[in-house]
Amino acid sequence: MGAGVSLGGGSSGNKSNLNRSAAMFRSASQLSLSRSSSSRRLKFLNFEKTNTDQTEDDFEEDDRTVRRVKPVLGRSITEVAVRGTSLQVDIASLGLGFGKTLTVESSHPFHVEVRYEDNKKKRPINVSLGKIIKFNLADNPVVFIDALRDAPRHIKITLAFNTKHSGMDDHTTNELTAVIRLGIMSLSLDIDADRDGIIERNSNFKNVWERGRENYGAVVITKYHTDPPHPGHPQTRQKISEAKKHRLKRNCSKMTQLLIRSRGPIPPRGWTLHVSFPNKSTRSFLYVYRRVPTTDQSEQILGPGIVDLESTDIGFTDSRDLPLWVTGQTYTRDYSENVLHSNETFSIDMVLKYHGNEAYKDTVKCRLSPLIISPCTQPAVNVYVSGANTQLLQIMGRISKEPKSFKVVNLALSEECTHPKNCMLMGYTDSPSLILPVVLTRDSPQLTDNITRTLNQTDGDFQVCLSQDKQTPFQRIIATPPIGSRYKLGCLLIADIGVDDRPSNGTYWIQQFLQCHRIQPIVTISTAWMENPDITSVVNFVPADKKLHQRGFKIVMPDTHTTYNILKHLQAGGLGNVPIFVGKHRDMQSATTTGNQILDNHEVWNDSFYFQQFIDQNKQLMITQLGVDPDDFIYLPMLWTRSERNSEKARPYMPNATNMIVLDSHIVIPRLCGPIVQGTDKFEDYVQQIRSLTTQQRDIHYIDVWTDSIRSVDDDVVVQRQIPLPTKWWEITGRE
């Protein structure tokens, strides 16, 4: 069987290095051909109609693809060659005499070039068409026909031999001819290799992949929604519903397009065109679709659900461009199985075969697009609010009436998950030609159905990705803004829940899933000391004026010392007896107290400073791993107390201002219920002053989150942010 013909690119993807000229042939027409084939490394392919057995000697390296054929004297044979390849015509098989001359004629002289390798002189010799040349069979047993240009129809190539047999006089000759009807076609598998959103024709760089703004490599958009195996292929023997057909047709707009481009005559019977995966493992995560002309529907031809296939015959059509659509999946729903990392490349082959034997192959190299979580400093596009929180809906409704504001969407969930933040996480995936929002949610049919119906109320496409189980805690994940040149897409902060962080827990799966993308590094934040681990109760981010703060954001953290300083300042001003937490209850008892009473409560301060050490450790961790500075932090007042259920765990003693919702020029934070002096809450006044001095936000909205217990202000909201981030993930270098 024929071996694979490598069409790989050079060792570097840099545009300036790879854009070189390496002439395949030796004429002006050859130079034009070399521009589409200069980066390829091709091999001999032993391909005879009568004998397809190959040896290691058949695979000598050469500048072009060579297919061996045997002509027949006195007869015409029909052959196919792809532009940029060669036919090796076996003259020795004709059984000619010793002395001879050769004349080669072509009906299309500018479409081919003929040469032979002079084994005695160790160099190639060009054959001028129509001229008689001396030809020694012993030294030159083969003739090469190089296909320079595709032709709309078959061209005729005549090989005429004048031989002299022993016993004849010098003037006696015998003219023998062999005719080759050659169909030269241009055939390529094309994809957007230079990442400009346009599919180039036969790019030199489609078989290389390197990160960097000036480098090359195709990107396949990732399939994050988890449909069952595709029933469109006959081998699955399943019927496809009309709703499924409609969805599949729409899903083509969410995939990456491949183009098989061909020109020239359609090959005769016996020739087939295939799409294949050179690596068998590719079929487990890569989907390939084509559109059925008669129904205009999408049909999967390779990938998961198509039984035991790494290759499929797609056939030849009258259309010169045959579009295919591909999408991939970077994970499995069982975390114990292998996942494909986004920095791993894979290949797709287009193979031209003759009676099942490989005659020509073209390859593209790709990577799957990773999932990227947007930081809260990005502008809001859609705000999904639980319909049960009327207070939050009213505030969001007022903010959304401003020009160029976001859209508020009422979100109904399920009994299994009543708070959007706990069961949804918004992100996106992108390629040079496509940007798709991705919604991660728990594996619950009712929840997924409700979320999908809600998302259909918004503009644009989206993907819904199901987690492994029904307990994945999305509230434990937050993305940082881009941090200088080191983390241009930011990092992911994930709450560490301590002993519960085991494979049976949803946190394990989501961390494994996010880690496989290797675009936003993961930093683990300690929250095992909290009764209800919530990442935004420990750290948050707000945009800042770049003129004042180079990074463009500030890091917000709760701080016991800040609370102590505010209360001591009030006490020094004679305001220590002003009531605090008026009308609130804790453990079924009144929580109303004064600043002096809190200052005298050693248990509160012992608990608060004990838990503050974990917050300070998280701060130091971010300084070390993220490369931020101490000046990048803002500290807001907070106190903690020990949980009644577990004395080693902390619960909030007061509403936590760090736990906020950032919406462009607005911030929604919990009402802090602090000491009221001249109509001003001194805790909230401190927050307002800090915000005004350090960030772009000027409008702060307060929500009462303290009933019998203190809740998080962002439990009932999920914000879809503006995408994509300014830096493209494929432009980031230096980290794999």
Side-chain angles (χ1 to χ4, degrees), residues 18-312:
L18 283 178
N19 191 14
R20 60 187 183 273
S21 174
M24 288 183 67
F25 307 137
R26 293 164 296 279
S27 64
S29 60
Q30 298 161 358
L31 290 175
S32 65
L33 175 61
S34 70
R35 283 193 290 270
S36 64
S37 306
S38 61
S39 68
R40 303 177 180 179
R41 178 174 177 166
L42 306 168
K43 298 180 180 179
F44 276 118
L45 179 59
N46 186 14
F47 193 100
E48 300 179 1
K49 290 185 178 181
T50 58
N51 181 15
T52 58
D53 295 331
Q54 295 174 324
T55 66
E56 291 183 0
D57 294 334
D58 294 327
F59 294 94
E60 303 171 32
E61 294 186 356
D62 193 73
D63 286 335
R64 56 199 138 262
T65 307
V66 179
R67 191 167 63 83
R68 297 181 178 180
V69 298
K70 290 182 178 181
V72 179
L73 289 176
R75 287 177 51 190
S76 172
I77 64 171
T78 300
E79 288 296 337
V80 173
V82 178
R83 179 178 180 263
T85 67
S86 302
L87 292 183
Q88 179 179 317
V89 183
D90 187 359
I91 305 300
S93 66
L94 295 176
L96 299 174
F98 293 97
K100 64 189 74 63
T101 63
L102 170 65
T103 305
V104 182
E105 296 182 347
S106 172
S107 61
H108 295 69
F110 295 105
H111 289 70
V112 295
E113 184 179 80
V114 181
R115 59 187 169 87
Y116 64 90
E117 302 292 333
D118 192 318
N119 293 336
K120 193 172 185 179
K121 297 181 179 180
K122 303 298 182 183
R123 63 185 179 89
I125 305 295
N126 277 358
V127 176
S128 299
L129 298 179
K131 292 186 178 181
I132 300 175
I133 63 168
K134 291 184 178 181
F135 194 77
N136 189 331
L137 180 62
D139 295 331
N140 316 298
V142 295
V143 171
F144 294 93
I145 301 175
D146 300 328
L148 302 181
R149 296 182 178 86
D150 54 84
R153 59 186 63 86
H154 287 78
I155 67 176
K156 180 180 179 182
I157 299 175
T158 303
L159 305 176
F161 302 92
N162 285 303
T163 64
K164 182 176 73 172
H165 294 275
S166 59
M168 295 182 178
D169 57 42
D170 293 341
H171 301 288
T172 303
T173 61
N174 184 23
E175 183 172 287
L176 302 173
T177 61
V179 177
I180 300 175
R181 290 182 69 250
L182 181 60
I184 302 178
M185 62 185 304
S186 175
L187 185 63
S188 63
L189 177 64
D190 294 332
I191 198 169
D192 178 18
D194 62 359
R195 304 191 282 237
D196 63 353
I198 300 173
I199 301 178
E200 302 81 24
R201 180 179 292 275
N202 211 15
S203 168
N204 291 345
F205 315 106
K206 60 188 177 183
N207 200 17
V208 297
W209 216 106
E210 288 193 7
R211 294 184 186 273
R213 185 184 296 270
E214 298 299 323
N215 287 337
Y216 292 84
V219 177
V220 170
I221 204 74
T222 300
K223 167 190 171 78
Y224 288 104
H225 54 279
T226 49
D227 284 342
H230 190 292
H233 196 279
Q235 292 204 26
T236 61
R237 298 178 181 178
Q238 298 179 21
K239 292 184 178 180
I240 182 169
S241 67
E242 290 301 319
K244 181 73 173 178
K245 288 180 181 179
H246 178 73
R247 185 162 68 253
L248 291 172
K249 182 177 179 180
R250 181 172 175 239
N251 281 345
C252 278
S253 64
K254 305 177 188 177
M255 302 181 194
T256 299
Q257 191 176 44
L258 285 169
L259 273 181
I260 294 181
R261 289 187 167 115
S262 65
R263 290 187 305 191
I266 295 178
R269 195 170 186 176
W271 290 87
T272 55
L273 188 62
H274 295 252
V275 174
S276 65
F277 299 145
N279 190 329
K280 290 184 178 181
S281 64
T282 309
R283 72 182 184 188
S284 66
F285 63 83
L286 194 68
Y287 300 75
V288 181
Y289 297 85
R290 69 178 174 186
R291 182 160 291 171
V292 181
T294 55
T295 61
D296 199 31
Q297 302 296 336
S298 299
E299 174 192 26
Q300 185 185 348
I301 57 176
L302 282 178
I306 305 299
V307 182
D308 296 331
L309 280 182
E310 290 101 37
S311 176
T312 186

Side-chain angles (χ1 to χ4, degrees), residues 529 538 557-561 609 611-623 635:
W529 52 275
V538 179
M557 299 192 79
D559 184 57
T560 299
H561 301 84
F609 281 116
F611 294 119
Q612 183 64 40
Q613 67 179 332
F614 298 110
I615 298 173
D616 293 340
Q617 289 172 6
N618 287 327
K619 171 189 170 183
Q620 190 58 44
L621 179 72
M622 288 189 286
I623 291 175
Y635 306 103

Side-chain angles (χ1 to χ4, degrees), residues 268-468:
R269 195 170 186 176
W271 290 87
T272 55
L273 188 62
H274 295 252
V275 174
S276 65
F277 299 145
N279 190 329
K280 290 184 178 181
S281 64
T282 309
R283 72 182 184 188
S284 66
F285 63 83
L286 194 68
Y287 300 75
V288 181
Y289 297 85
R290 69 178 174 186
R291 182 160 291 171
V292 181
T294 55
T295 61
D296 199 31
Q297 302 296 336
S298 299
E299 174 192 26
Q300 185 185 348
I301 57 176
L302 282 178
I306 305 299
V307 182
D308 296 331
L309 280 182
E310 290 101 37
S311 176
T312 186
D313 181 7
I314 59 175
F316 293 97
T317 65
D318 294 333
S319 173
R320 293 312 181 188
D321 289 343
L322 175 61
L324 300 174
W325 289 269
V326 292
T327 184
Q329 190 165 300
T330 60
Y331 78 108
T332 59
R333 294 180 63 186
D334 181 357
Y335 61 84
S336 64
E337 297 180 16
N338 294 327
V339 295
L340 179 77
H341 295 288
S342 64
N343 69 332
E344 296 178 17
T345 58
F346 58 89
S347 297
I348 305 172
D349 289 343
M350 175 201 66
V351 184
L352 181 64
K353 294 184 179 183
Y354 182 67
H355 290 295
N357 293 317
E358 187 177 291
Y360 178 80
K361 180 167 70 177
D362 202 1
T363 301
V364 296
K365 186 174 287 187
C366 314
R367 284 188 182 180
L368 293 179
S369 62
L371 176 69
I372 300 170
I373 307 300
S374 300
C376 62
T377 52
Q378 285 290 101
V381 177
N382 294 305
V383 177
Y384 301 92
V385 184
S386 171
N389 195 329
T390 57
Q391 185 183 185
L392 188 58
L393 276 172
Q394 291 175 359
I395 292 178
M396 295 299 178
R398 290 198 301 268
I399 300 174
S400 65
K401 292 180 181 179
E402 295 185 359
K404 300 181 180 180
S405 188
F406 50 81
K407 180 180 180 181
V408 179
V409 182
N410 193 330
L411 178 62
L413 297 177
S414 67
E415 295 179 356
E416 299 170 351
C417 184
T418 57
H419 299 300
K421 178 184 174 182
N422 297 348
C423 51
M424 290 177 64
L425 183 65
M426 307 292 290
Y428 72 94
T429 187
D430 66 331
S431 68
S433 59
L434 188 60
I435 303 169
L436 279 178
V438 178
V439 183
L440 279 75
T441 187
R442 295 179 179 178
D443 187 2
S444 164
Q446 181 184 358
L447 177 63
T448 304
D449 186 55
N450 290 342
I451 289 177
T452 302
R453 283 204 307 268
T454 302
L455 292 172
N456 283 330
Q457 303 174 26
T458 62
D459 298 330
D461 289 324
F462 58 88
Q463 294 191 48
V464 176
C465 173
L466 302 184
S467 69
Q468 178 202 359

